[in-house]
Amino acid sequence: MSTVSDFVIDRIQQWGVTRVFGFPGDGIGEFDGALGKAERKGEGLKYIRPTHEEICALMATAHAKFTGEVGVCIATSSPGAFHMLNGLYDAKMDNQPVVAIVGQQGLASLGTFEQQENNLERTFADVACYVQTIVSPEQAQAVVDTAFRTARTRLAPAVIILPHDIQGMKMEDAGREHWVSRSSAVAPSIQITPPEDELKKAAAILNAGKKVAMIVGHGANGATDEVLKVAELTGAGIITALRGKQVVPSDVPHHTQQLGLLGSGPSLTMMKDCDTLLMLGTNYPYAEFLPKTGQARAIQVDLKPEQMGLRYPTEVNLWGDVKATLAALIPHLDTKTDLSFQRMLADAMHDWDQEEQAQAEVEYEKLNPRLVYHELNKRLPPQAIVTCDAGTTADWYGHHIRLRRGMMGDLSGRLATMLAAMPYATAAKFAYSERCVICTIGDGAFQMLGMNELITIKKYMKDWENPQFIILVLHNDDLEQVSWEMRTEDGNPLWDTSQDVESIDYAGYAELLGFKGIRLKKGDDVGAAWDEAFAHRGVTLIDAYVDKNVPPIPAHISRQYMLNTAKALLKGDPEEGSVIVDSAKALFTEGVERAKGILHIGQDKEGEKNN
């Protein structure tokens, strides 16, 4: 007898799903039993069981990000369902298609205060683009198909709630009866292209622009060649959002990497000087770094129409897939002959890279975290996948990691939740087991749930084609990003009661599980540590004892940033001495390198005049 659970498992496979991330419990028990039965028959899904339901949801989100497929996570009723919320909000805020299947107590228990019975539809109403309880076998087909179709087209999580008694009921085919929907497991195309007249309007604006700037986000994934062609024709400089790093290869000279607090000086210059702005698949949230109102004519291309024209006043909004839209736009673009804007940005980026190297080479009381990332970047193998977390690892990832064509990288973007780097990296490894994956994470995030995932890795690594997996833990015994935010945003001194992270031997913990552990404390040893990790065909954890007071200096330091930091120090910051010394070193290095850059540009201009 085929049950509702059997049907749901078969149906999600029809939607192209081969791997799910789940954690069991009695509320989803009948469904789990059907998964086990299908596995024994060789017809099931690959079921990955990490150590926590939050990790399941984060892994499903990461799977969607790295593969473009729908991610699926499974959990039991109330406690398991609630644990998944953070990961589902990550999917919602980064526009990722995820379907969560959650258990529920039996139909007769709904609204009766039964153990583990809660109103899950109300719980998930905010995070999900579609949430529905299956209340009969005849309804199951339509609910499953609608969840997947909606998640795919709305680029958001959808939730299927499966009451325990429904899970084991005999499956009934959807008939022609009134109120019964007969649906299909067919995904609608999202390769949407705007109307021709709208494309021509956008082309006219780009053709008229003399200094065109592009901001490219993760929504442009898969459109690398089209993005580069548009930049070639329009003479545009290219900025990538932090989640868009992998879209544009780092060796493109006029690719100035990121913008804002984690961005480059040339990106800031581009925004100040541009007269035209093209935003592609990005909901870049920091409006203060975008051009002044009225400075630039702006165009936005996105599959999320509600997020267009939101950060900067746009003249044309093109609702469409970035790749398909650019392919249709390119024939309408003229070829610019004046590429001086691109050349200026390329020269500025060359100087910026020299400054970043100099910042990495500054010596502090403890190990410079910038140096650890700088040396990693030199050694990234082809096809590498790099993840980072929501703390200062995102700062150093943004400043020092340069993804070449074929490499991938990601993080929790708009939600910026801590600990995501580990489930992201593990999900990437399941999707691309032949690739080298590098997870970079702070000690605070690692202690949250990240350490647990070393257990997941140990459990599953035998299934990976290439067992190489590297974890970098920035070990500074401090929630460093929050410490700096307290100083620079609020003018408050470090409060060590809340900020201290209990120090443990992370390399030793990895060794307990049979992995390679490397303790890194000196700058002279950084290159050798990475060489050792990349030479090891297995799991390596680098426990890097880094200085916690290295300032994440943005490309432009605002007056308020400086005033707040000064206020924090005057209030008695316990790290006052180190903060002052370390900041002075960083600012001095920045000043010297920028002076060299100005001299370099001046010499180039003098040479052009003489020629």
Side-chain angles (χ1 to χ4, degrees), residues 287-582:
E288 66 268 31
F289 297 105
L290 296 177
K292 294 179 180 178
T293 301
Q295 171 191 323
R297 303 178 71 185
I299 304 160
Q300 190 164 357
V301 182
D302 211 293
L303 277 170
K304 300 285 283 186
E306 68 273 20
Q307 294 180 7
M308 291 196 288
L310 188 62
R311 307 300 181 198
Y312 188 82
T314 47
E315 194 169 330
V316 176
N317 288 321
L318 299 177
W319 183 9
D321 169 68
V322 172
K323 183 180 178 70
T325 299
L326 292 187
L329 177 67
I330 285 169
H332 299 291
L333 296 177
D334 299 336
T335 303
K336 291 274 189 357
T337 56
D338 182 2
L339 301 180
S340 57
F341 189 55
Q342 272 189 352
R343 288 196 296 269
M344 180 273 290
L345 294 170
D347 287 344
M349 195 60 193
H350 175 270
D351 294 334
W352 178 262
D353 283 338
Q354 298 300 309
E355 181 177 324
E356 292 294 89
Q357 179 173 336
Q359 290 284 6
E361 292 171 352
V362 175
E363 293 185 3
Y364 296 100
E365 183 178 347
K366 292 185 177 180
L367 180 62
N368 185 346
R370 286 179 174 270
L371 180 63
V372 181
Y373 278 76
H374 186 74
E375 292 297 322
L376 164 61
N377 185 63
K378 289 181 183 179
R379 293 165 172 80
L380 286 176
Q383 305 295 306
I385 302 176
V386 187
T387 68
C388 72
D389 216 79
T392 51
T393 60
D395 294 315
W396 316 136
Y397 171 84
H399 281 289
H400 294 280
I401 297 300
R402 302 285 189 261
L403 298 177
R404 276 79 80 188
R405 188 182 280 266
M407 295 180 181
M408 302 174 80
D410 220 324
L411 72 160
S412 172
R414 200 154 58 94
L415 181 62
T417 182
M418 289 176 67
L419 80 84
M422 275 297 285
Y424 270 44
T426 311
K429 191 65 173 179
F430 282 117
Y432 304 98
S433 70
E434 75 284 1
R435 296 194 185 195
C436 176
V437 174
I438 304 102
C439 168
T440 70
I441 190 168
D443 50 3
F446 197 59
Q447 285 190 13
M448 273 185 160
L449 286 173
M451 294 175 67
N452 293 7
E453 288 317 289
L454 289 182
I455 301 169
T456 304
I457 292 169
K458 182 175 178 63
K459 179 179 179 180
Y460 290 103
M461 62 180 292
K462 64 182 183 300
D463 300 331
W464 295 338
E465 180 180 333
N466 170 13
Q468 188 173 67
F469 191 108
I470 302 171
I471 305 104
L472 166 67
V473 178
L474 293 189
H475 186 163
N476 56 20
D477 304 329
D478 183 58
L479 298 175
E480 184 184 1
Q481 184 79 358
V482 183
S483 297
W484 277 105
E485 287 168 346
M486 288 177 73
R487 296 178 183 118
T488 61
E489 293 181 11
D490 303 312
N492 286 320
L494 168 69
W495 183 33
D496 51 16
T497 301
S498 72
Q499 297 305 103
D500 281 357
V501 175
E502 185 67 24
S503 184
I504 73 165
D505 182 2
Y506 301 107
Y509 177 67
E511 290 165 347
L512 284 174
L513 292 167
F515 302 145
K516 176 183 282 293
I518 298 175
R519 296 161 184 82
L520 178 58
K521 298 184 178 182
K522 296 191 300 183
D524 291 343
D525 298 335
V526 173
W530 282 117
D531 289 339
E532 185 178 354
F534 283 117
H536 178 55
R537 191 171 172 79
V539 179
T540 304
L541 187 146
I542 298 178
D543 188 356
Y545 290 74
V546 296
D547 195 298
K548 68 179 180 180
N549 293 315
V550 176
I553 295 178
H556 169 71
I557 302 174
S558 69
R559 183 171 179 270
Q560 194 62 48
Y561 184 106
M562 291 187 289
L563 284 173
N564 286 342
T565 304
K567 287 179 184 177
L569 298 180
L570 289 171
K571 292 176 183 177
D573 193 298
E575 296 291 328
E576 177 182 356
S578 294
V579 168
I580 292 172
V581 171
D582 290 357

Side-chain angles (χ1 to χ4, degrees), residues 209-280:
K210 298 185 184 304
K211 296 180 177 181
V212 180
M214 299 168 67
I215 302 181
V216 180
H218 191 272
N221 217 22
T224 299
D225 291 336
E226 290 77 10
V227 169
L228 295 180
K229 185 64 178 178
V230 170
E232 175 191 331
L233 293 171
T234 62
I238 304 174
I239 294 168
T240 47
L242 196 59
R243 293 197 55 242
K245 263 184 179 288
Q246 65 187 26
V247 179
V248 180
S250 60
D251 56 3
V252 173
H254 45 279
H255 173 199
T256 61
Q257 294 292 315
Q258 283 70 69
L259 172 69
L261 294 175
L262 315 185
S264 72
S267 291
L268 197 61
T269 298
M270 196 191 310
M271 287 294 97
K272 288 180 177 179
D273 291 353
C274 72
D275 59 19
T276 309
L277 177 63
L278 175 61
M279 302 176 72
L280 300 173

Side-chain angles (χ1 to χ4, degrees), residues 60-73:
T61 300
H63 178 86
K65 288 181 175 182
F66 284 119
T67 67
E69 301 170 357
V70 177
V72 176
C73 49

